[in-house]
Amino acid sequence: MGETRIGVFVCHCGTNIGAYVDVPQVVEYVRGLPNVVHAECNLFTCSEEGISAIKKAIAEYNLNRVVVASCTPRTHEPLFRAACEEAGLNKYLFEFVNIRDQCSWVHMREPEKATEKAKDLVRMGIAKASLLEPLEEVEVQVTPSALVIGGGVVGMNAALNLAEQGLEVQLVEKEKQLGGILLHVHKLFTTDEEASKLVGSLVQKVKNHSQIKTYLSTKVKSVSGFMGNFDATLDQNGKESNVKVGTIIVAIGAEELKPAGQYGYGKLPNVVTQLELEQRMKRGGLGGQNVVIINCVGARVPERTYCSGFCCMTAVKNATLIKQSSPEARVWVLHRDLMAYGVEFEDYYRKSMEQGVRFIRYGLEKPPEIMGDGKAEKVKVWHQLRGREVELPADMVVLTTPLVPRGDNEEISKMLKVPLSEQGFFLEAHLKLMPIEFATDGIYICGSARWPTDIAGGISQAYAAAAKAAIPMRTGYVKPEAITALVDEDICSGCGTCEPLCPFKAIELQARNGKKVSHVAEAVCKGCGTCGAACPSEAITMNHFRDVEILAQIEALFS
Ligand SMILES: Cc1cc2nc3c(=O)[nH]c(=O)nc-3n(C[C@H](O)[C@H](O)[C@H](O)COP(=O)(O)OP(=O)(O)OC[C@H]3O[C@@H](n4cnc5c(N)ncnc54)[C@H](O)[C@@H]3O)c2cc1C
């Protein structure tokens, strides 16, 4: 490639870096380093001005390596790489140095030391950049068909959205019917529309859509392959079939917690959960009754600290519906905090109070108590506002419980090699930057399988997941990152150490000229480096993180 010509761009990131690191001093310093032919600072290197400066400098100084010292590669690496590519430079000849998260932000009270550390970090980046090699990405064809697992309101919306774009969808539902939890729900907040109306119209649209093939009473037995080329085996009551798909959307929902043993649930016949109440209301009114609803049962407690979000509105909805159908009924909602967020929910809550529903706040230190013989007859609760205990007559006690992960989560997580959160829900790649994607390319997550959500939130996620999945399927191909592991088959001893270590199942032993060697599926490999670090024969090279590049960085640190 001839002479190495590096351009360095040091970003102020407004005051994020500039207020603590002496950016002009860093620029002055790097100008004297080997192979650096151009260095400048920018207020925001990611701005249009900053990007043009990079492209201009590549042409003007004939740069063949670019180093940007700024914020984080998580958000900005693609942007700077694209700038290099647009200026005709292979994007893998770009090196990112993070002088914000690990420098200015953590050394705000020591600006001089922060500046010295920034110089060290940039010097290391330049040393690595000097040795970078151009890499080429392989093109992988994408089958224009998606597998949607779960036929609840969210899975059906994702399927319809993809089908409307002309893409084929294989919709797999383990039950005999599409609809999920909503099949058992009476009416929906805040419109009080019948849940069956929404489900019915969605099921009709799914059934009538020529692009959607629905498999009822079916589970996905196994999945192999990678983004663009997944092979799934479906099991429909013992009958197996195979489908080839380009992408997978997980929408298997969650289930209502059954709070066995709490407040007499399971023992007292008139203590029920919200979903059981919904089913009774679906069958007909409750008559003039005294109903006590207890919120946050099994939620926001030490063993399950999260809030399901929508259950307060479910309690408000059902309390109001009882009052509407039997104005003589007396209904109390015992709550810890009432989550009536947004523009509609607060009004819905206010109207509920106007219609005579009584709300009483309780604390965890004095939870409500059920009194009665063989059935609940009264609920005793410490009324925080009145500062005394009150006894409420109860013909029925309704427990508002959170959504909890389905038992299937573990099995599907292992099958698709995607992670679960601490609570057992599916874990997205990044809460803010990749909220409906898994780290494994081509697999997406939406609805209450990801986190308890109401219908509106679930549908937004369904559309987002469908939109993301549609991009590679409509483009017809993807170009996975070229930063992958590379096996030297002559050196590989076929010991197999790497195979079980790979978190993405990208490596397998294959037969070559009478011996076994490791083979890396480039489209699956994420370049994490686990195999390279473990290989006893040093047969695995990590593209873009070769030993020489890392060693050069270390040497630069101590030089
Ligand atoms: C009592 C109660 C009342 C509610 N009331 C309201 C309301 O009024 N308004 C509102 O906005 N929200 C309400 N919700 C929340 C609402 O139910 C959820 O937002 C919605 O169900 C989420 O849809 P989903 O498709 O993600 O999940 P689900 O409805 O759980 O559907 C998931 C589907 O996946 C299927 N599945 C599971 N595992 C597999 C597998 N391994 N393979 C294939 N298929 C599988 C399930 O059988 C199911 O059909 C209520 C919830 C409860 C519990």
Side-chain angles (χ1 to χ4, degrees), residues 149-155 172-175 177 179-182 185 187-189 218-220 251-254 256 274-275 278 310 314 317 403 406 408 412 446-449 453-456:
I149 314 176
V153 61
V154 172
V172 173
E173 167 57 52
K174 74 168 179 179
E175 301 294 341
Q177 253 182 301
I181 288 189
L182 290 193
V185 170
K187 289 189 176 178
L188 303 174
F189 58 75
T218 304
K219 286 185 86 170
V220 182
I252 67 164
E256 187 194 46
Q274 286 289 355
L275 204 55
E278 300 259 8
F310 68 86
T314 302
K317 169 186 75 176
L403 284 183
R406 287 190 190 272
D408 300 46
I412 292 191
C446 51
S448 50
T453 175
D454 65 3
I455 300 169

Side-chain angles (χ1 to χ4, degrees), residues 46-159:
C46 61
S47 66
E48 237 176 87
E49 224 170 286
I51 296 295
S52 321
I54 295 177
K55 291 193 214 169
K56 197 165 148 241
I58 291 175
E60 200 171 324
Y61 298 98
N62 200 17
L63 303 179
N64 51 25
R65 305 284 190 288
V66 168
V67 174
V68 172
S70 61
C71 51
T72 163
R74 272 187 187 230
T75 51
H76 286 73
E77 190 167 62
L79 183 73
F80 298 134
R81 278 179 167 186
C84 293
E85 220 168 20
E86 282 162 31
L89 192 66
N90 182 288
K91 66 182 187 184
Y92 294 97
L93 295 174
F94 166 77
E95 180 63 15
F96 205 114
V97 179
N98 186 337
I99 56 164
R100 189 189 67 179
D101 302 16
Q102 289 113 39
C103 188
S104 65
W105 275 356
V106 288
H107 302 298
M108 285 180 173
R109 291 191 188 86
E110 307 171 293
E112 276 162 25
K113 286 187 182 168
T115 302
E116 288 313 306
K117 182 168 169 181
K119 287 181 194 171
D120 287 347
L121 293 169
V122 182
R123 185 172 71 245
M124 291 166 74
I126 291 167
K128 182 182 170 201
S130 304
L131 299 170
L132 288 178
E133 288 183 338
L135 298 172
E136 291 308 321
E137 290 163 344
V138 292
E139 203 172 278
V140 177
Q141 298 304 305
V142 178
T143 308
S145 174
L147 171 67
V148 177
I149 314 176
V153 61
V154 172
M156 285 195 283
N157 269 289

Side-chain angles (χ1 to χ4, degrees), residues 409-418 420 426 505:
N409 285 18
E410 195 115 344
E411 182 190 323
I412 292 191
S413 140
K414 280 189 189 139
M415 184 172 70
L416 298 177
K417 293 154 211 133
V418 294
L420 297 178
F426 285 95
K505 305 281 178 272

Side-chain angles (χ1 to χ4, degrees), residues 250-533:
V250 180
I252 67 164
E255 58 198 21
E256 187 194 46
L257 173 75
K258 302 293 176 207
Q262 281 189 274
Y263 299 105
Y265 181 77
K267 286 195 196 122
L268 307 178
N270 57 343
V271 177
V272 299
T273 64
Q274 286 289 355
L275 204 55
E276 288 157 359
L277 171 70
E278 300 259 8
Q279 285 161 307
R280 287 195 195 194
M281 290 168 86
K282 235 168 125 79
R283 289 197 294 268
L286 294 177
Q289 296 204 353
N290 295 315
V291 180
V292 179
I293 297 176
I294 306 176
N295 279 8
C296 285
V297 175
R300 303 170 69 222
V301 288
E303 60 275 24
R304 199 174 294 100
T305 48
Y306 64 87
C307 164
S308 249
F310 68 86
C311 354
C312 279
M313 282 306 109
T314 302
V316 170
K317 169 186 75 176
N318 287 335
T320 316
L321 288 173
I322 294 170
K323 279 299 280 180
Q324 279 171 359
S325 68
S326 328
E328 70 282 15
R330 289 192 295 168
V331 187
W332 292 271
V333 177
L334 313 185
H335 64 94
R336 283 169 54 203
D337 292 301
L338 218 118
M339 306 293 178
Y341 52 90
V343 281
E344 287 177 353
F345 291 170
E346 190 64 32
D347 270 352
Y348 198 61
Y349 170 36
R350 191 175 39 75
K351 281 182 194 144
S352 174
M353 287 191 281
E354 283 166 8
Q355 293 188 31
V357 176
R358 296 287 163 251
F359 290 84
I360 298 177
R361 190 164 185 196
Y362 75 92
L364 254 194
E365 61 295 346
K366 282 187 186 167
E369 272 176 55
I370 308 287
M371 300 156 76
D373 193 10
K375 65 175 186 137
E377 286 161 11
K378 282 182 189 167
V379 177
K380 196 160 79 174
V381 62
W382 178 262
H383 196 306
Q384 283 194 339
L385 266 183
R386 289 193 189 164
R388 67 176 175 84
E389 213 157 56
V390 291
E391 280 184 14
L392 311 169
D395 298 309
M396 180 186 269
V397 174
V398 183
L399 308 179
T400 313
T401 60
L403 284 183
V404 291
R406 287 190 190 272
D408 300 46
N409 285 18
E410 195 115 344
E411 182 190 323
I412 292 191
S413 140
K414 280 189 189 139
M415 184 172 70
L416 298 177
K417 293 154 211 133
V418 294
L420 297 178
S421 67
E422 206 183 311
Q423 295 83 9
F425 292 101
F426 285 95
L427 185 67
E428 67 278 339
H430 189 284
L431 184 63
K432 289 183 179 159
L433 303 174
M434 296 170 81
I436 45 91
E437 290 157 281
F438 286 113
T440 307
D441 291 337
I443 310 184
Y444 310 88
I445 171 72
C446 51
S448 50
R450 174 181 167 266
W451 198 244
T453 175
D454 65 3
I455 300 169
I459 293 177
S460 310
Q461 292 171 28
Y463 287 171
K468 279 276 178 185
I471 295 171
M473 292 194 289
R474 296 191 62 175
T475 313
Y477 66 89
V478 279
K479 284 186 168 183
E481 278 268 329
I483 302 178
T484 59
L486 197 69
V487 179
D488 186 330
E489 294 185 358
D490 292 336
I491 302 176
C492 178
S493 66
C495 69
T497 307
C498 51
E499 193 180 337
L501 291 178
C502 175
F504 304 97
K505 305 281 178 272
I507 304 188
E508 63 174 15
L509 286 179
Q510 290 185 353
R512 288 275 193 293
N513 306 325
K515 68 167 191 169
K516 286 209 158 181
V517 292
S518 291
H519 171 78
V520 177
E522 284 175 50
V524 189
C525 177
K526 288 279 181 183
C528 69
T530 311
C531 58

